[in-house]
């Protein structure tokens, strides 16, 4: 579950249960699908606390994408990564 705040680069997120998506032909990025599968096999999705946009990758990222990351770092509503101390 991802909660979109009115502003900010980190959106609060939590994993509740596993799901399976059946993609339309050509709608899935095979490389990202492979990386997501590896991340689930590695475990730790229950520690995901935010969907971050922009900013450099860091050690709290559970899965990194192109310009985004599922992070174990908590996201606060309205928090902007550039505003953090």
């Amino acid at each position: 579950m991802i909660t979109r705040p009115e502003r900010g680069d980190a959106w609060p997120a939590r994993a509740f249960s596993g799901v399976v998506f059946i993609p339309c032909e050509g709608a899935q990025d095979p490389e990202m699908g492979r990386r997501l599968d590896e991340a689930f096999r590695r475990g730790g999705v229950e520690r995901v606390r935010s969907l971050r946009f922009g900013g450099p990758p860091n050690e709290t990222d559970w899965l990194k994408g192109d310009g985004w990351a599922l992070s174990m770092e908590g996201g606060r509503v309205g928090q902007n990564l550039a505003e953090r101390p």
Side-chain angles (χ1 to χ4, degrees):
M1 179 179 86
I2 299 171
T3 305
R4 183 179 180 180
E6 289 188 29
R7 63 184 192 102
D9 294 332
W11 299 5
R14 297 285 170 138
F16 290 106
S17 67
V19 299
V20 175
F21 292 96
I22 301 171
C24 298
E25 186 172 330
Q28 184 179 26
D29 176 347
E31 175 62 17
M32 181 50 66
R34 183 190 62 74
R35 291 174 50 208
L36 183 59
D37 181 59
E38 287 176 358
F40 276 110
R41 289 176 192 273
R42 195 172 50 246
V45 68
E46 69 281 353
R47 296 182 309 212
V48 170
R49 295 294 176 259
S50 65
L51 170 62
R52 293 188 306 104
F53 295 97
N58 66 50
E59 67 280 353
T60 67
D61 293 344
W62 181 75
L63 179 66
K64 298 172 187 112
D66 185 19
W68 61 270
L70 288 172
S71 176
M72 294 178 281
E73 180 178 18
R76 293 192 320 242
V77 172
Q79 179 182 30
N80 187 309
L81 294 176
E83 296 171 354
R84 273 192 266 168

